[in-house]
């Protein structure tokens, strides 16, 4: 008898000298990061925003699509997109980052989508707040979790499933959590969750369920795969781990100069220049950014621009630099108002999640 186990293998860690596999390259071709030069945009254009698709982009008819709210509620609801659009409309600018960003830089490497540092974007999401809908449905006072189900279906580590993630009730009731139907002022694109998706400001991307079709309130913790098995920080296969939730602080450098085609090493003319980039955190506002030009041997403070777009959007930073000819390694590290700061050495975990190791940008300054 043939089962899903014949096509879906357990998670594993790459061998010490194991190269990126054809399967990982296939994932990398489907799921792209932001080109780092696009850090210049306050709002990331939809086509440059990072993208992760777990299974297939489902074929969803926006006219026929409806959202149900059921489970431990007094009044189950069913709303089509027109009814959702008739509800109060708000827009939030939100930085989204994949929980696996940086995975391919770990040693040993967890085998999965091989992200470097580019799995991020900052977009304007428009929709209606979730909390009033839950209040209208009359959630049970014993409610524990709220489960969000997408229309995408597949197999992962031997488990056939619709993509489902849950939020604790307290997080689902945050007023900034959105049922979004627009991105950057236009209807959602198919790859970004059309016609409806969840936006959970401050949380890693796994929580922002796309192609949303069902919301279910539970009176006990959700034990579905994406909560109980995936997206957990664990040291080994037997470790139950702790859940991945909010985004750790990170700063990225917008690489200066121009690149070598293959290595992406930057080439720069000598003389004064301003190095800049973006910084964000899902725990608290970014309060400081430091820059290194010598691979972390020394650090200097950068200037932070005034915030634009609200508390859930990234913040621009700038650093004045006058390099002499030679080779340099640039990086930036963010500190947020909760006291969290990016590490220079990244703690390892089996899934490769929540990696915010300082970026390395190699720069060659020409003699003349």
């Amino acid at each position: 008898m043939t089962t899903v186990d014949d096509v879906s293998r357990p998670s594993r860690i790459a061998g010490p000298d194991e190269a990126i596999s054809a399967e990982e390259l296939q994932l990398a071709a489907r799921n792209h990061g932001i080109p780092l030069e696009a850090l210049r945009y306050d709002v990331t254009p939809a086509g440059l925003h990072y993208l992760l698709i777990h299974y297939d982009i489902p074929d969803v008819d926006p006219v026929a699509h409806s959202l149900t709210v059921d489970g431990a509620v007094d009044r189950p609801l069913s709303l089509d997109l027109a009814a959702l659009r008739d509800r109060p409309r708000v827009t939030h600018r939100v930085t989204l980052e994949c929980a696996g960003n940086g995975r391919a830089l770990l040693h040993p490497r967890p085998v999965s989508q091989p992200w470097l540092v580019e799995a991020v974007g900052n977009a304007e999401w428009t929709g209606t707040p979730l909390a009033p809908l839950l209040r209208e449905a009359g959630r049970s006072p014993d409610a524990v979790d709220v489960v969000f189900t997408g229309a995408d279906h597949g197999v992962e580590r031997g488990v056939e499933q619709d993509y489902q993630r849950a939020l604790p009730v307290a997080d689902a009731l945050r007023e900034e959590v959105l049922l979004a139907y627009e991105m950057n002022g236009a209807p959602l694109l198919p790859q970004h969750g059309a016609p409806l998706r969840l936006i959970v400001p401050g949380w890693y991307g796994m929580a922002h369920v796309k192609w949303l079709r069902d919301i279910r309130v539970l009176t006990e913790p959700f034990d579905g795969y994406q909560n109980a098995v995936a997206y957990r920080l664990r040291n080994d296969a037997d470790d139950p781990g702790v859940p991945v939730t909010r985004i750790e602080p990170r700063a990225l450098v917008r690489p200066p100069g121009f690149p070598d085609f293959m290595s992406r090493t930057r080439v720069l003319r000598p003389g004064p220049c301003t190095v800049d980039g973006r910084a964000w955190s899902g725990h608290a506002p970014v309060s400081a950014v430091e820059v290194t030009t010598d691979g972390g041997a020394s650090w200097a403070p950068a200037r932070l621009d005034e915030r634009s777009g609200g508390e859930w959007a990234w913040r621009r930073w700038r650093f004045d630099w006058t390099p002499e000819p030679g080779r340099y390694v640039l990086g930036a590290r963010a500190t947020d108002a909760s006291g969290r700061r990016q590490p220079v050495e990244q703690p390892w975990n089996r899934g490769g999640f929540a990696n915010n190791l300082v970026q390395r940008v190699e720069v060659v300054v020409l003699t003349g």
Side-chain angles (χ1 to χ4, degrees), residues 171-202:
D171 288 289
L173 289 174
R174 288 166 49 206
E175 293 298 329
E176 62 268 22
V177 176
L178 285 184
L179 302 173
Y181 43 74
E182 291 182 6
M183 178 184 186
N184 294 350
L188 287 175
L189 294 169
Q191 66 270 33
H192 286 295
L196 189 68
R197 71 174 297 170
L198 187 67
I199 294 294
V200 188

Side-chain angles (χ1 to χ4, degrees), residues 175-229:
E175 293 298 329
E176 62 268 22
V177 176
L178 285 184
L179 302 173
Y181 43 74
E182 291 182 6
M183 178 184 186
N184 294 350
L188 287 175
L189 294 169
Q191 66 270 33
H192 286 295
L196 189 68
R197 71 174 297 170
L198 187 67
I199 294 294
V200 188
W203 282 53
Y204 280 112
M206 78 283 157
H208 304 245
V209 177
K210 296 188 282 190
W211 311 291
L212 184 64
R213 62 175 176 80
D214 182 76
I215 299 173
R216 176 161 293 187
V217 179
L218 301 184
T219 56
E220 55 189 26
F222 178 60
D223 61 358
Y225 178 88
Q226 301 296 339
N227 273 69
V229 179

Side-chain angles (χ1 to χ4, degrees), residues 163-336:
Y163 186 84
Q164 292 182 303
R165 277 285 306 186
L167 290 174
V169 166
D171 288 289
L173 289 174
R174 288 166 49 206
E175 293 298 329
E176 62 268 22
V177 176
L178 285 184
L179 302 173
Y181 43 74
E182 291 182 6
M183 178 184 186
N184 294 350
L188 287 175
L189 294 169
Q191 66 270 33
H192 286 295
L196 189 68
R197 71 174 297 170
L198 187 67
I199 294 294
V200 188
W203 282 53
Y204 280 112
M206 78 283 157
H208 304 245
V209 177
K210 296 188 282 190
W211 311 291
L212 184 64
R213 62 175 176 80
D214 182 76
I215 299 173
R216 176 161 293 187
V217 179
L218 301 184
T219 56
E220 55 189 26
F222 178 60
D223 61 358
Y225 178 88
Q226 301 296 339
N227 273 69
V229 179
Y231 295 108
R232 300 185 73 85
L233 300 173
R234 49 168 59 95
N235 292 320
D236 56 60
D238 297 323
D239 179 4
V242 296
V244 177
T245 57
R246 289 180 176 268
I247 298 172
E248 296 298 319
R250 186 192 291 274
L252 286 183
V253 176
R254 181 167 70 97
F258 51 92
D260 172 71
F261 172 69
M262 281 296 294
S263 71
R264 309 312 292 177
T265 297
R266 310 301 295 190
V267 179
L268 191 63
R269 309 285 181 195
C273 71
T274 299
V275 179
D276 70 346
R278 304 284 175 168
W280 62 92
S281 173
H283 292 276
V286 169
S287 56
V289 171
E290 301 164 278
V291 175
T292 180
T293 61
D294 53 18
S298 62
W299 297 88
R303 306 189 310 276
L304 289 174
D305 282 9
E306 292 297 319
R307 301 192 65 86
S308 64
E311 63 179 309
W312 306 112
W314 61 22
R315 192 171 181 183
R316 191 172 193 171
W317 57 266
R318 305 169 195 264
F319 179 76
D320 295 328
W321 185 41
T322 306
E324 299 293 331
R327 291 182 174 270
Y328 301 85
V329 177
L330 275 56
R333 65 181 178 188
T335 301
D336 70 20

Side-chain angles (χ1 to χ4, degrees), residues 1 88 139 159 258 307 326 332 364:
M1 184 175 69
R139 65 178 175 84
V159 179
F258 51 92
R307 301 192 65 86
V364 174

Side-chain angles (χ1 to χ4, degrees), residues 26-296:
Q26 181 176 237
L27 284 175
R30 289 181 57 81
N31 304 310
H32 66 77
I34 186 174
L36 290 177
E37 62 270 26
L39 293 172
R40 65 175 175 261
Y41 299 113
D42 286 338
V43 175
T44 308
L48 299 180
H49 195 286
Y50 100 90
L51 189 64
L52 178 69
I53 301 165
H54 273 81
Y55 308 129
D56 281 352
I57 299 171
D59 185 7
V60 180
D61 180 357
V63 175
H65 187 71
S66 64
L67 174 71
T68 60
V69 182
D70 58 15
V73 298
D74 297 330
R75 295 170 294 278
L77 304 174
S78 180
L79 303 96
D80 61 15
L81 195 60
L84 289 167
R85 284 182 171 274
D86 283 341
R87 298 178 69 87
R89 172 187 173 94
V90 297
T91 298
H92 294 314
R93 191 176 293 184
V94 179
T95 299
L96 265 63
E97 182 179 9
C98 184
N101 201 16
R103 175 184 290 122
L105 300 173
L106 291 180
H107 302 285
R109 186 184 81 255
V111 175
S112 185
Q113 165 65 32
W115 291 122
L116 298 172
V117 297
E118 296 92 347
V120 68
N122 187 65
E124 290 186 340
W125 304 96
T126 299
T128 194
L130 170 65
L133 203 65
L134 294 176
R135 291 194 287 265
E136 185 178 317
R139 65 178 175 84
S140 166
D142 298 326
V144 172
D145 278 351
V146 182
V147 182
F148 303 88
T149 302
D152 46 332
H153 185 86
V155 182
E156 198 162 347
R157 308 305 184 195
V159 179
E160 184 178 351
Q161 59 190 282
D162 294 330
Y163 186 84
Q164 292 182 303
R165 277 285 306 186
L167 290 174
V169 166
D171 288 289
L173 289 174
R174 288 166 49 206
E175 293 298 329
E176 62 268 22
V177 176
L178 285 184
L179 302 173
Y181 43 74
E182 291 182 6
M183 178 184 186
N184 294 350
L188 287 175
L189 294 169
Q191 66 270 33
H192 286 295
L196 189 68
R197 71 174 297 170
L198 187 67
I199 294 294
V200 188
W203 282 53
Y204 280 112
M206 78 283 157
H208 304 245
V209 177
K210 296 188 282 190
W211 311 291
L212 184 64
R213 62 175 176 80
D214 182 76
I215 299 173
R216 176 161 293 187
V217 179
L218 301 184
T219 56
E220 55 189 26
F222 178 60
D223 61 358
Y225 178 88
Q226 301 296 339
N227 273 69
V229 179
Y231 295 108
R232 300 185 73 85
L233 300 173
R234 49 168 59 95
N235 292 320
D236 56 60
D238 297 323
D239 179 4
V242 296
V244 177
T245 57
R246 289 180 176 268
I247 298 172
E248 296 298 319
R250 186 192 291 274
L252 286 183
V253 176
R254 181 167 70 97
F258 51 92
D260 172 71
F261 172 69
M262 281 296 294
S263 71
R264 309 312 292 177
T265 297
R266 310 301 295 190
V267 179
L268 191 63
R269 309 285 181 195
C273 71
T274 299
V275 179
D276 70 346
R278 304 284 175 168
W280 62 92
S281 173
H283 292 276
V286 169
S287 56
V289 171
E290 301 164 278
V291 175
T292 180
T293 61
D294 53 18

